[in-house]
Amino acid sequence: MNYIKYKPITVVPKYGGRRCPPPSIPPSLKEWGEWDCDPTKEGKPSQHHAYGKTFPWVFDMEEKAYVLEGEATLTADLDTYGLESVSVRIVPGDMVTFPKGWKGYWEVHSMLRKRYAFFDSQGFQVDEIEEETEDEKEDIIS
């Protein structure tokens, strides 16, 4: 029988401390990308924006994120592992590590904004591949 090791989401609360409470951004994270999700709207997600209250997600790389605003509950889909589901609530000031391979559901309770970056298996930050917008594609063609 093959066993797959489940890696949970980890949360470090109040990462910025008293000197850098949210929505302030700790200096070491200022170059990270920004992502937001508006749970009151529906629409097709883009690289930096998502919409909807609940949606499935799989992390294909390790991601670290600093929550600037809003709250969400992430529930792991552990059927694959034969385990009961595990939920984690994230709030402003949390530094969250989403392990590669984590699969589950987001429930966004209020407008959520986070700074994020991707990391390889050795812990080195990996550059994000930017997707082109339709306007950018037109600029390239023109």
Side-chain angles (χ1 to χ4, degrees), residues 20-26 30 34 66-70 92-93 113 115:
C20 197
S24 299
I25 301 168
K30 289 189 186 262
E34 189 166 321
Y66 178 71
V67 181
L68 299 167
E69 170 186 343
R113 283 188 332 118
R115 287 286 180 142

Side-chain angles (χ1 to χ4, degrees), residues 42-122:
E42 295 294 325
K44 183 179 175 189
S46 68
Q47 190 161 2
H48 298 285
H49 308 284
Y51 306 97
K53 185 172 175 64
T54 306
F55 53 89
W57 198 258
V58 176
F59 286 91
D60 58 1
M61 295 187 79
E62 179 178 282
E63 177 183 315
K64 292 185 187 285
Y66 178 71
V67 181
L68 299 167
E69 170 186 343
E71 296 184 17
T73 301
L74 292 95
T75 304
D77 179 1
L78 297 179
D79 288 343
T80 308
Y81 304 97
L83 302 170
E84 289 185 33
S85 292
V86 176
S87 295
V88 173
R89 189 173 185 99
I90 59 174
V91 299
D94 286 351
M95 174 61 78
V96 187
T97 301
F98 303 101
K100 179 179 179 179
W102 186 91
K103 177 181 174 185
Y105 297 88
W106 286 71
E107 182 180 355
V108 180
H109 306 293
S110 58
M111 180 66 179
L112 186 69
R113 283 188 332 118
K114 67 177 181 163
R115 287 286 180 142
Y116 70 95
F118 299 110
F119 294 83
D120 67 16
S121 60
Q122 275 74 48

